[in-house]
Amino acid sequence: MRNNLIIKLLCSIPVILVVLYFIPFLGVCLLICRYIVYYYDRKRISTPYYLVSIGFIILIPKLVQYIFKILNLNTSVISDFDILTNSNLYNVEFIKYSKLLIVLGIVFLIITSIVSSIVDKTKSYVKSYITNQEKRNDEISRKNDLIMKEKREIAKNTNFVICPYCGADNMLTEKVGICKFCRRKIKSK
């Protein structure tokens, strides 16, 4: 999905910013899509910072106007500054847009940190579970190997002996044993 050019274009910051201005719901959907597309990438982590910084950049003219008002300076020094800061577009639409960007940036930053911590805890839990399972499997295989070695040693030392007293067939795993039928001591040769 990351290699699809259309998806990459739709998930780019400029497109998301434009869509957030005109259709906020679709812009939020594109932000979520960006998080999904760039899940293992650094772009996912930096997106909230872009949103918050652009939100504050939009507020810079209002901040400058506020500073000029506090210092009793004339804003006519900067050409067209009064026109920009006093326009209805800037006062209503851009301020709302700036607030939306800042809020979305902070919300997505919080969500990113929560999801990252959950994913990290889940990864550590899964890793510990896997290592415990591997340790258990290793212990079981060592026990099985030991049992199999013992059985092989017993099989190597197993001899077929005919009882000299009753003539019964016996299998002995040691040098000296007891006949199954007459219960006398017999020796392996």
Side-chain angles (χ1 to χ4, degrees):
M1 195 156 99
R2 282 180 65 184
N3 296 331
N4 191 342
L5 186 62
I6 295 172
I7 298 289
K8 281 179 124 178
L9 182 68
L10 284 175
C11 292
S12 67
I13 291 291
V15 171
I16 289 174
L17 290 174
V18 170
V19 172
L20 272 172
Y21 183 76
F22 291 108
I23 310 168
F25 177 75
L26 185 59
V28 171
C29 292
L30 287 176
L31 270 173
I32 294 170
C33 182
R34 180 179 175 87
Y35 271 75
I36 292 169
V37 169
Y38 295 111
Y39 183 73
Y40 292 108
D41 202 351
R42 300 295 296 175
K43 291 181 180 180
R44 172 182 62 92
I45 296 170
S46 61
T47 302
Y49 297 114
Y50 289 144
L51 293 176
V52 170
S53 61
I54 291 170
F56 281 124
I57 288 171
I58 292 172
L59 290 177
I60 287 176
K62 273 293 188 191
L63 180 66
V64 170
Q65 182 186 26
Y66 182 70
I67 291 172
F68 277 7
K69 191 181 284 184
I70 289 176
L71 298 176
N72 292 326
L73 295 175
N74 191 4
T75 57
S76 62
V77 175
I78 303 171
S79 63
D80 297 330
F81 184 72
D82 283 335
I83 296 171
L84 173 71
T85 56
N86 293 330
S87 70
N88 285 336
L89 175 69
Y90 186 78
N91 282 331
V92 177
E93 295 296 322
F94 278 175
I95 300 300
K96 284 172 49 178
Y97 181 61
S98 172
K99 289 177 184 178
L100 174 71
L101 290 179
I102 293 170
V103 167
L104 279 177
I106 292 171
V107 166
F108 274 97
L109 186 63
I110 292 169
I111 290 172
T112 301
S113 64
I114 290 171
V115 169
S116 294
S117 68
I118 289 172
V119 167
D120 291 342
K121 287 180 183 178
T122 305
K123 281 181 181 179
S124 66
Y125 175 75
V126 168
K127 276 185 178 179
S128 66
Y129 178 76
I130 289 172
T131 55
N132 289 338
Q133 288 294 339
E134 287 176 351
K135 284 179 185 177
R136 197 178 95 205
N137 289 341
D138 286 343
E139 289 175 10
I140 290 171
S141 67
R142 278 192 223 122
K143 286 179 184 176
N144 288 342
D145 288 345
L146 186 61
I147 291 170
M148 290 306 292
K149 282 181 182 179
E150 289 174 355
K151 286 184 178 181
R152 283 188 204 116
E153 286 297 318
I154 290 172
K156 282 182 186 177
N157 296 333
T158 302
N159 294 319
F160 181 73
V161 178
I162 296 174
C163 179
Y165 305 108
C166 67
D169 296 337
N170 291 293
M171 290 189 106
L172 295 179
T173 58
E174 299 175 359
K175 293 284 184 188
V176 178
I178 297 175
C179 178
K180 287 192 251 179
F181 298 101
C182 66
R183 299 282 184 219
R184 290 187 180 172
K185 264 189 179 177
I186 52 175
K187 291 184 180 180
S188 175
K189 296 179 184 178

